Amino acid sequence: MFSASISESIFWIAAAICAIAQVAVIRAALAGRTPGASSSAVAQAREFFWVLLPAAFLILLLTWSWQSLPGRFLDVGAQRPGTVAERPALTVKT
């Protein structure tokens, strides 16, 4: 298992690469350099929507991934989201 600092480093490198790629895609869409780019305002608005939609999902995915990194919850008693709390062992009194 990776330590928290290595996991965070890998996360930030991956997030930076994704951000750079997404900015390049958005710039290409705004400049009309995409295959089949149209000059009509309606087609450009539709294309811009389909460029921003994956960007929004990427932000959600990166946020969820950041919160899922090991060591993100510093409170030892805190339960991580999406995990099942351990139940105390059942004891039978006789």
Side-chain angles (χ1 to χ4, degrees):
M1 193 79 189
F2 291 121
S3 70
S5 63
I6 293 174
S7 297
E8 286 182 16
S9 298
I10 292 172
F11 171 82
W12 285 116
I13 291 169
I17 291 169
C18 289
I20 291 168
Q22 193 62 43
V23 167
V25 169
I26 291 172
R27 287 188 65 202
L30 289 175
R33 294 186 303 230
T34 56
S38 176
S39 60
S40 75
V42 174
Q44 287 177 346
R46 187 180 320 124
E47 182 176 1
F48 191 64
F49 169 77
W50 285 110
V51 167
L52 286 182
L53 185 66
F57 283 125
L58 181 62
I59 290 170
L60 291 174
L61 179 64
L62 289 174
T63 302
W64 176 76
S65 298
W66 173 250
Q67 293 173 350
S68 298
L69 283 177
R72 294 302 321 147
F73 289 91
L74 300 177
D75 184 9
V76 176
Q79 180 184 349
R80 293 182 64 152
T83 61
V84 178
E86 289 186 30
R87 293 183 185 175
L90 295 175
T91 55
V92 179
K93 295 182 180 180
T94 54

